Amino acid sequence: MNKTKHYLKIVISGHVDHGKSTLIGRLFYDTDSIPEEKIKEIKEVCRQLGREMEFSFVMDNLQEEREQSITIDTAQTFFKTPKREYVIIDAPGHKEFIKNMITGASQAEAGVLIVSAKEGAEEQTKRHAYILKMLDLKQILVVINKMDLVDYKRQKFNKVKKQIEAFLKKLNLKPTFIIPISAAKGDNIAKKSKKMKWHKGKTLLSSLDSFKESKKITKAPLRFLVQDIYPINQKRILVGRVESGTIKKGQKVLILPSKETAKIKSIEVFMKKPTSASAGQSIGITLEEDLFIERGAVICTQKDQPKVTDEISANVFWMSKKDLKRGERIIIKNVTQETEGEIKTISNKIDSSTFKKISAQARILKNNEVGEVKIKIDEPIAIDDPNQIKETGRIILERDMIACGAGLINIEEK
Ligand code: GDP
């Protein structure tokens, strides 16, 4: 990824069939972000099927390429406006969504919630809004889609808008923009709709362009989590991503959980040896000292350390048909850190699609419920307050190699 360029990471969510794929395809099409041949190919397929250009096919096409690729960076899809580039992070509904959403690799800076004008908010609309809330996204945009199916009527838009505003308010979320669109026809995406002159606000693209990129993370404390160790020419290169802050050549660092100190000898990026690297960059580093380091080690500075603990409390969003049970043993992941643990308590349970409190103390957490979960883990890991560092402020709960739950860590001051 070109570091000097500005880009904004967005997540597109909404109930199934409300138009996520269509919108993504449309965004790519309207910003000339898909090669001409691909468009021709898709148009031809649609022609043979005897239908209009189906924009969701663009997404399917990208998805196929994505599945064939192995690197993280190409798994993300880009489109651009004259102002900047955008990266679309996996949309909910895809298998790996929760995991991708929670791991640092796909840290959204803005969220688009899509709602069909015809159906209005449905179960997943609310659930995804809850996820946006959990992600602590401050820049939220709602698009009311399929306006063509309701004759571009203002009254219909206002009705759905009211409904959405009311439930977002329950979550204390306030969308920056609410825009009537037709992803299929291209109304209010790149160009202002001629059919909805009553809408005085911006188009979707210019609204996105007005959002801010989060710069905070490069200034935040250093967190470099080791993903792999490559022995090359008698050197041991520690490969990983700078999740937060900046790492510099010559810098004195602390390695957790072992608490050893070391000095950065070099930073290695393909064919280059930069003197520093910052949040979001995947790099390799070498140390002056010959230390035994494993995957999951956290590199930080003495001054700004994460909390190393074997007890975690987190607000967990459970997404598996098989309940999470008190007493159950489960895998806990935090970026590249991984350990096993036991569920000690489950409390303050909420239904994620009605936002209703279910119970104060519970034995189980069911699919789509959120609860405060306390876990005793086998090996201590380094965690942060998600309000300060999002990447290391979250955990994934995994069962049989499948991410079943995602949690925002509560750091309790002792
Ligand atoms: P997803 O499940 O949220 O990704 O929804 P899709 O993008 O696959 O869209 C579901 C269906 O709605 C498809 O048949 C689309 O062609 C259709 N659709 C999506 N957006 C619009 C729109 O703006 N207008 C109309 N008429 N149909 C749309």
Side-chain angles (χ1 to χ4, degrees):
M1 197 178 296
N2 189 337
K3 234 232 108 216
T4 55
K5 258 191 196 144
H6 292 288
Y7 64 92
L8 191 86
K9 288 183 165 184
I10 58 174
V11 57
I12 297 184
S13 51
H15 197 80
V16 63
D17 277 346
H18 283 206
K20 293 178 296 288
S21 309
T22 307
L23 177 63
I24 295 171
R26 169 58 75 178
L27 285 168
F28 279 79
Y29 184 78
D30 281 7
T31 55
D32 294 324
S33 306
I34 359 173
E36 196 67 34
E37 321 85 77
K38 281 257 144 64
I39 307 255
K40 271 199 190 140
E41 222 175 89
I42 296 164
K43 278 192 173 153
E44 180 55 26
V45 172
C46 295
R47 197 188 60 78
Q48 283 173 6
L49 293 170
R51 53 208 279 189
E52 274 185 60
M53 168 81 175
E54 178 57 78
F55 286 93
S56 62
F57 288 1
V58 176
M59 183 67 196
D60 297 341
N61 199 299
L62 290 168
Q63 198 68 33
E64 254 169 51
E65 272 178 27
R66 203 188 255 223
E67 273 154 22
Q68 283 160 15
S69 68
I70 41 165
T71 57
I72 300 170
D73 276 359
T74 54
Q76 298 178 325
T77 45
F78 297 83
F79 68 89
K80 62 174 156 197
T81 65
K83 185 174 170 188
R84 68 175 157 219
E85 276 189 53
Y86 289 86
V87 184
I88 300 182
I89 294 160
D90 255 2
H94 294 157
K95 281 193 298 262
E96 297 283 296
F97 174 65
I98 296 286
K99 208 167 156 188
N100 290 349
M101 187 184 76
I102 303 290
T103 55
S106 53
Q107 188 59 109
E109 296 165 282
V112 175
L113 187 63
I114 186 166
V115 191
S116 163
K118 211 157 163 242
E119 281 87 19
E122 293 190 79
E123 196 187 343
Q124 288 166 342
T125 320
K126 295 188 181 173
R127 188 162 302 142
H128 292 167
Y130 201 100
I131 295 176
L132 296 181
K133 172 74 184 173
M134 274 187 87
L135 286 173
D136 194 30
L137 284 177
K138 301 279 190 292
Q139 311 188 103
I140 294 175
L141 186 159
V142 173
V143 284
I144 299 185
N145 189 32
K146 306 197 187 184
M147 284 302 292
D148 56 300
L149 294 183
V150 295
D151 298 326
Y152 298 103
K153 285 215 172 80
R154 184 180 198 165
Q155 295 89 314
K156 188 70 196 177
F157 169 74
N158 282 338
K159 196 172 160 215
V160 178
K161 178 172 176 260
K162 264 204 188 128
Q163 182 203 14
I164 305 282
E165 279 173 332
F167 83 73
L168 289 181
K169 203 168 162 208
K170 284 193 198 160
L171 293 176
N172 231 344
L173 285 178
K174 195 173 181 322
T176 319
F177 304 97
I178 301 186
I179 312 168
I181 65 161
S182 165
K185 310 284 177 200
D187 291 281
N188 285 338
I189 309 290
K191 283 187 292 237
K192 283 195 96 113
S193 168
K194 291 202 173 67
K195 306 223 167 68
M196 292 181 279
K197 293 226 168 86
W198 47 264
H199 176 70
K200 302 293 176 219
K202 296 176 194 244
T203 60
L204 171 56
L205 281 177
S206 62
S207 304
L208 282 174
D209 275 350
S210 72
F211 281 156
K212 292 188 180 63
E213 289 142 36
S214 55
K215 300 213 172 62
K216 222 174 56 206
I217 44 173
T218 53
K219 286 189 212 126
L222 168 67
R223 299 288 182 266
F224 174 82
L225 282 92
V226 177
Q227 185 183 335
D228 243 319
I229 296 100
Y230 297 135
I232 298 175
N233 303 338
Q234 283 150 13
K235 277 198 296 193
R236 282 162 61 83
I237 300 186
L238 313 179
V239 176
R241 226 173 72 107
V242 186
E243 300 296 340
S244 143
T246 305
I247 192 162
K248 298 187 190 85
K249 187 180 164 184
Q251 187 176 23
K252 275 215 175 104
V253 293
L254 178 71
I255 300 156
L256 294 174
S258 70
K259 295 202 176 118
E260 287 166 303
T261 53
K263 199 169 164 189
I264 307 293
K265 189 174 177 190
S266 69
I267 297 175
E268 325 244 337
V269 180
F270 186 65
M271 305 286 274
K272 281 190 231 134
K273 282 195 186 289
T275 53
S276 74
S278 52
Q281 283 188 287
S282 293
I283 56 165
I285 58 170
T286 63
L287 303 175
E288 298 278 2
E289 299 77 2
D290 193 16
L291 301 175
F292 178 72
I293 289 172
E294 288 178 288
R295 177 184 162 89
V298 178
I299 295 184
C300 61
T301 60
Q302 195 86 39
K303 195 170 140 260
D304 272 311
Q305 298 182 29
K307 180 180 174 185
V308 177
T309 178
D310 62 358
E311 270 174 355
I312 298 180
S313 163
N315 264 346
V316 170
F317 194 120
W318 190 248
M319 293 217 172
S320 165
K321 296 250 155 58
K322 208 173 133 202
D323 306 340
L324 176 72
K325 295 188 183 69
R326 194 167 63 198
E328 175 178 347
R329 287 191 63 78
I330 198 156
I331 301 283
I332 290 99
K333 288 188 173 174
N334 171 292
V335 194
T336 62
Q337 302 183 89
E338 180 176 336
T339 177
E340 227 182 288
E342 188 184 317
I343 306 295
K344 287 291 176 196
T345 56
I346 301 172
S347 49
N348 298 322
K349 243 173 44 157
I350 295 169
D351 179 322
S352 67
S353 61
T354 58
F355 315 144
K356 286 211 176 84
K357 265 234 165 83
I358 306 171
S359 59
Q361 292 299 329
R363 275 184 45 250
I364 56 166
L365 203 55
K366 287 193 197 143
N367 195 17
N368 293 317
E369 287 180 346
V370 181
E372 211 178 293
V373 176
K374 286 208 164 70
I375 315 162
K376 174 88 172 72
I377 54 175
D378 297 357
E379 309 277 339
I381 61 170
I383 54 172
D384 281 293
D385 180 343
N387 296 316
Q388 273 143 29
I389 306 178
K390 285 185 174 182
E391 287 72 9
T392 40
R394 301 193 171 131
I395 51 166
I396 296 172
L397 304 185
E398 230 181 68
R399 199 195 254 154
D400 304 327
M401 318 253 289
I402 297 166
C404 297
L408 273 190
I409 295 170
N410 303 315
I411 297 271
E412 288 154 22
E413 294 303 330
K414 283 195 180 142

